[in-house]
Amino acid sequence: EIALTQSPATLSLSPGERATLSCRASQSFTSTYFAWYQQKPGQTPRVLIYGSSTRAPGIPDRFSGSGSGTDFTLTISRLQPEDSAVYYCHRYDSAPQTFGQGTTVEIK
Amino acid sequence: QLQLQASGPGLVKPSETLSLTCTVTGDSITSTSYYWGWIRQPPGKGLEWIASIHYSEGTFYNPSLKSRVTISVDTSKNQFSLRLTSVTAADTAVYYCATPGGVLVPFWGPGTLVTVSS
């Protein structure tokens, strides 16, 4: 099983700042099958990025994804108050699919 | 526009079987563009993939649950289903049906809370 480890666990930043979230895999896999999600309390996870770098429909361009192999990054270029949420990474290249444990982004 | 809607009992007794159905609208369950799947989230915790099914490639299971899980498709109703046997309190979670796989953007339906309690 390929494990995903996200860092940091919590990120506390001010509006307008840049957030960089990391997701590291225990072994390399095909980046075509990698996504980032945003989840707010009581809501369904919302896909932000899939294929490691393609923004999902309707996602603002301040969200961007990059990476390949074992290291992936989600960048939020200019934080907005509504970006406060938990962010998960997910690999779905093969079974068992796995998720990272989540990074909580707090807006000061 | 693809839409997924999970349905099933919100309360299941310990040792019994949890059964959920996901109704698909906007595309055919027989489409080979999608992997249909189930993902769950215990209260206050992270996400766990349970199983997926592809119309031509077959079924895929999380090894940690494989002995208790069955995923299947009903083409006549355009639905796919999850059965989880011998449930315990640890199976209490929000269950999501989704399309976790392939090259298309993953799509998730709203979750349904299942509580295991006597």
Side-chain angles (χ1 to χ4, degrees), chain A residues 8 16-17 21 24 43 49 57 63 65 68-69 76 78 81 92 95 107:
Chain A
E17 289 193 300
L21 285 67
R24 177 162 288 178
Q43 295 187 15
I49 302 288
F63 292 92
S68 63
I76 311 173
R78 300 170 302 280
Y92 46 96
I107 310 299

Side-chain angles (χ1 to χ4, degrees), chain A residues 1 32-33 35 37 39 43-45 47 49-50 56-57 88 90 92 94-101, chain B residues 39 41 45-49 52 60-63 96 100-111:
Chain A
E1 173 176 318
T32 303
Y33 308 106
Y37 297 90
Q39 188 179 34
Q43 295 187 15
T44 300
V47 60
I49 302 288
Y50 68 103
Y88 292 98
H90 173 209
Y92 46 96
S94 62
Q97 298 184 18
T98 49
F99 290 87
Q101 80 279 20
Chain B
I39 294 158
Q41 185 173 36
K45 297 188 178 180
L47 298 162
E48 180 182 35
W49 173 77
S52 295
F60 308 86
Y61 293 104
N62 190 324
Y96 298 97
V103 298
L104 299 179
V105 57
F107 191 85
W108 293 45

Side-chain angles (χ1 to χ4, degrees), chain A residues 64-80:
Chain A
S64 63
S66 63
S68 63
T70 60
D71 290 298
F72 297 83
T73 301
L74 174 70
T75 302
I76 311 173
S77 60
R78 300 170 302 280
L79 276 169
Q80 304 294 313

Side-chain angles (χ1 to χ4, degrees), chain A residues 16-61:
Chain A
E17 289 193 300
R18 181 187 191 93
T20 302
L21 285 67
S22 173
C23 180
R24 177 162 288 178
S26 58
Q27 57 185 281
S28 182
F29 66 95
T30 307
S31 62
T32 303
Y33 308 106
F34 179 82
W36 288 97
Y37 297 90
Q38 176 194 68
Q39 188 179 34
K40 297 181 180 180
Q43 295 187 15
T44 300
R46 172 196 186 197
V47 60
L48 300 173
I49 302 288
Y50 68 103
S52 81
S53 62
T54 302
R55 265 189 303 277
I59 301 303
D61 61 6

